[in-house]
Amino acid sequence: MKIFHLSAECYPVAKVGGLADVVGALPKYQNLAGLQAAVVMPFYDRKFTQENEFETVFRGSTLLGIRRLYFEILKETTDKLGFELFLVKIPGLLDREEVYSYPDETEQFVAFQLAFLDWINYSQQSPDLIHCHDHHSGLIPFLLYHSRLYVRLANTATVFTIHNGQYHGAFGWDRLSYLPEIDLTQTGLLDWAGGINPLASAVKCCWRYTTVSPTYLHELTIQSNGLEYLFYMEHEKGVGILNGIDTDVWNPATDPMLANKISKTQITKGKQANKAALCKRFDLSPDKPLISFIGRLVVEKGADLLATAMEESFNEHPGGFNFLVLGAGDKETEKELLDLKAFYPESCAVFIGYDEVLAHLIYAGSDFLLMPSRVEPCGLNQLYALRYGTLPIVRSTGGLKDSVIDFGEEGGYGIRFNNADVEDICHAISRAVILYNNTKHLQTLRKFMMALDFSWARSAKAYIDLYKSLNPVI
Ligand code: ADP
């Protein structure tokens, strides 16, 4: 009955993207369904860890090559997140502020995994299943099954979820000594393209792997940064399960981060009040359609296309709509967007940075949310937008394809386009501007999409069914 989720991120402890939202919600819903799911993640020196109480439940040490690392396992004392939360703390490695981008990231995440295994091994814990998320915990399946140190745990079922297949966490064979007493006849299970590749190793060694949408499961065989053949060969082990959203956190009728709550019976009024607050803050006219973008400003998200597409659309529809961006990422893209804002101050606003409260207000106060992603394993933004009555404009890829139906099709409610290019984005924006002027149609679509069920309750059940197929005890 006992499941450990291992992840680099978990909302609200530390969030960079969708991984955090999933790991912060899925275990909670699994516990509500009668499982005993806990989360284990690295310790970060951030608001959540500073403001909450933890007790040390284990102290130990592990070897990373010739370096002995002393670690502590801390447990949040109240279980207020809806699951037991354990943090692995190692001075100098797992006690810093940021989640990613340290030069010793390999050491950081290998140490995290070793400390976790040593903890459950020495404290004689026997979970029924270990659920690893992305490459930061990708070595766990190999170590469980091919290291003499952990033979006691060698029958433990493992599930590996790929939230982003572009990042593999690969490192060179010169650092093999970081791994403890492994069966050297099995090192091929660690290898991809001449290096130790945690993502590839997890796919090879786990009992089953999942992707965060059914379409992404297929797309990984076409585009996964060099692992295409691996996914093609292993596809029978894969299952696509669309993420859900945490409807406790993302509920427009109760969300404390909004300027005004949006009740089911007063959708138009509620949205208008949030739009007014948003437009006031950014000095935009609330009378025009507001199209927004939220997310990492990276090529994967198609963020590099935004400035050119908006410039063309502003010229095509002079004064016809407003555009608002919240995000941070590639410096070049940030600059292009700030330049766009300087050139079109009445129609464009740009906030460079990360702001959870502002994100909620944008979901609530916008008319449309644009996602021109080149790669989108699931995408949560479109699900939040739907719930907050904001019509998603998405490229047909990954989870966007699985969750948004074009309003031109039967039962549709969003706007979809095929290519991540300027022409397709501009065409989609023209459709949005026309739709906005058909108030009645837009209101009907809003009401329809806000009633759609993308809650975790549904997706959590799909994970439980998968667990049960592996381990009938669960
Ligand atoms: P990814 O994990 O690839 O970044 P997802 O769509 O799965 O993309 O999840 C993105 C999550 O991060 C959403 O909750 C979104 O609201 C949030 N987010 C992204 N960028 C920002 C930002 N600059 N400020 C606030 N929230 C953000």
Side-chain angles (χ1 to χ4, degrees):
M1 298 278 281
K2 174 103 190 168
I3 291 121
F4 279 120
H5 287 271
L6 264 85
S7 171
E9 301 177 36
C10 173
Y11 180 81
V13 189
K15 170 170 169 177
V16 178
L19 170 62
D21 288 350
V22 174
V23 178
L26 174 60
K28 183 166 86 177
Y29 286 87
Q30 290 180 331
N31 287 337
L32 289 172
L35 301 191
Q36 222 187 312
V39 170
V40 186
M41 65 184 295
F43 179 96
Y44 303 102
D45 187 12
R46 291 165 93 96
K47 196 165 179 274
F48 186 91
T49 47
Q50 288 156 7
E51 291 179 358
N52 289 280
E53 277 201 14
F54 296 87
E55 58 175 327
T56 301
V57 293
F58 187 80
R59 275 201 180 88
S61 73
T62 191
L63 270 179
L64 186 76
I66 54 166
R67 209 168 140 195
R68 182 158 292 281
L69 299 174
Y70 292 90
F71 68 86
E72 266 181 285
I73 306 291
L74 305 178
K75 181 181 176 299
E76 194 274 320
T77 50
T78 63
D79 298 342
K80 67 176 177 190
L81 300 181
F83 49 82
E84 289 184 325
L85 171 72
F86 297 97
L87 307 179
V88 181
K89 190 172 186 184
I90 302 178
L93 212 51
L94 302 182
D95 63 350
R96 301 175 287 194
E97 185 183 353
E98 298 304 325
V99 178
Y100 307 120
S101 69
Y102 291 110
D104 53 1
E105 194 167 285
T106 298
E107 289 75 7
Q108 177 185 352
F109 291 115
V110 174
F112 165 58
Q113 296 172 78
L114 296 180
F116 164 72
L117 287 172
D118 284 353
W119 164 47
I120 61 166
N121 198 24
Y122 291 125
S123 56
Q124 295 289 313
Q125 298 184 64
S126 302
D128 295 294
L129 190 141
I130 298 178
H131 191 148
C132 303
H133 297 266
D134 275 351
H135 72 80
H136 320 99
S137 51
L139 294 170
I140 296 278
F142 177 86
L143 291 170
L144 278 176
Y145 309 136
H146 303 291
S147 168
R148 278 182 281 278
L149 223 54
Y150 307 118
V151 277
R152 193 185 68 78
L153 295 160
N155 292 323
T156 314
T158 47
V159 168
F160 180 64
T161 294
I162 300 163
H163 299 256
N164 192 330
Q166 300 299 304
Y167 303 108
H168 305 165
F171 55 96
W173 281 104
D174 54 327
R175 284 186 267 188
L176 177 62
S177 64
Y178 286 177
L179 308 187
E181 296 181 48
I182 59 166
D183 178 353
L184 288 173
T185 65
Q186 300 298 320
T187 50
L189 293 170
L190 289 169
D191 187 87
W192 196 260
I196 297 176
N197 187 313
L199 188 90
S201 175
V203 171
K204 292 181 201 180
C205 299
C206 68
W207 287 23
R208 297 295 288 275
Y209 70 90
T210 72
T211 57
V212 288
S213 69
T215 294
Y216 192 55
L217 183 68
H218 168 68
E219 286 177 349
L220 284 172
T221 64
I222 302 163
Q223 191 186 9
S224 50
N225 216 0
L227 298 187
E228 295 79 8
Y229 186 64
L230 174 71
F231 284 113
Y232 172 70
M233 293 303 289
E234 297 278 2
H235 75 275
E236 283 189 6
K237 254 168 79 175
V239 188
I241 301 175
L242 192 74
N243 283 338
I245 60 174
D246 188 335
T247 41
D248 295 339
V249 178
W250 297 92
N251 182 352
T254 56
D255 190 337
M257 300 188 212
L258 304 191
N260 265 81
K261 316 270 184 263
I262 308 174
S263 74
K264 275 189 194 134
T265 49
Q266 302 226 303
I267 295 174
T268 305
K269 206 170 150 212
K271 280 203 65 85
Q272 269 170 358
N274 284 293
K275 185 174 179 184
L278 195 56
C279 289
K280 186 160 181 255
R281 173 160 171 187
F282 289 101
D283 207 11
L284 297 169
S285 159
D287 301 328
K288 295 179 192 170
L290 178 60
I291 302 175
S292 300
F293 173 95
I294 299 175
R296 293 179 292 122
L297 299 176
V298 295
V299 170
E300 243 180 303
K301 301 280 179 198
D304 54 306
L305 301 166
L306 291 174
T308 311
M310 288 310 141
E311 161 117 55
E312 283 198 16
S313 290
F314 284 146
N315 291 337
E316 201 177 324
H317 307 278
F321 72 98
N322 290 329
F323 182 56
L324 171 61
V325 176
L326 164 63
D330 296 344
K331 295 298 152 207
E332 184 96 344
T333 303
E334 289 181 359
K335 184 178 177 312
E336 269 180 20
L337 289 165
L338 289 169
D339 288 349
L340 182 81
K341 171 190 159 183
F343 208 74
Y344 296 96
E346 279 168 17
S347 313
C348 182
V350 176
F351 183 100
I352 300 295
Y354 188 94
D355 189 329
E356 191 75 26
V357 178
L358 178 56
H360 282 241
L361 185 62
I362 293 176
Y363 289 121
S366 302
D367 298 300
F368 301 92
L369 188 87
L370 176 61
M371 299 181 74
S373 305
R374 290 193 175 81
V375 185
E376 196 62 83
C378 174
L380 292 170
N381 301 14
Q382 81 280 11
L383 304 182
Y384 299 144
L386 289 169
R387 184 129 172 90
Y388 283 58
T390 296
L391 198 126
I393 306 174
V394 304
R395 172 163 176 252
S396 268
T397 186
L400 299 176
K401 196 171 170 181
D402 293 337
S403 57
V404 178
I405 304 172
D406 192 276
F407 77 84
E409 290 172 33
E410 206 186 319
Y413 40 84
I415 294 178
R416 251 169 63 171
F417 56 94
N418 286 330
N419 302 301
D421 62 26
V422 169
E423 198 183 335
D424 272 28
I425 297 173
C426 290
H427 181 66
I429 286 175
S430 295
R431 290 183 68 204
V433 171
I434 294 167
L435 177 62
Y436 182 81
N437 292 322
N438 188 342
T439 316
K440 253 208 143 88
H441 191 183
L442 185 60
Q443 279 173 355
T444 309
L445 291 176
R446 268 185 189 150
K447 198 167 171 196
F448 181 79
M449 63 197 183
M450 286 180 80
L452 293 169
D453 177 14
F454 284 106
S455 72
W456 262 114
R458 204 175 56 157
S459 311
K461 184 176 177 311
Y463 278 103
I464 293 172
D465 290 344
L466 174 68
Y467 293 172
K468 280 186 175 157
S469 74
L470 301 177
N471 189 340
V473 177
I474 298 171

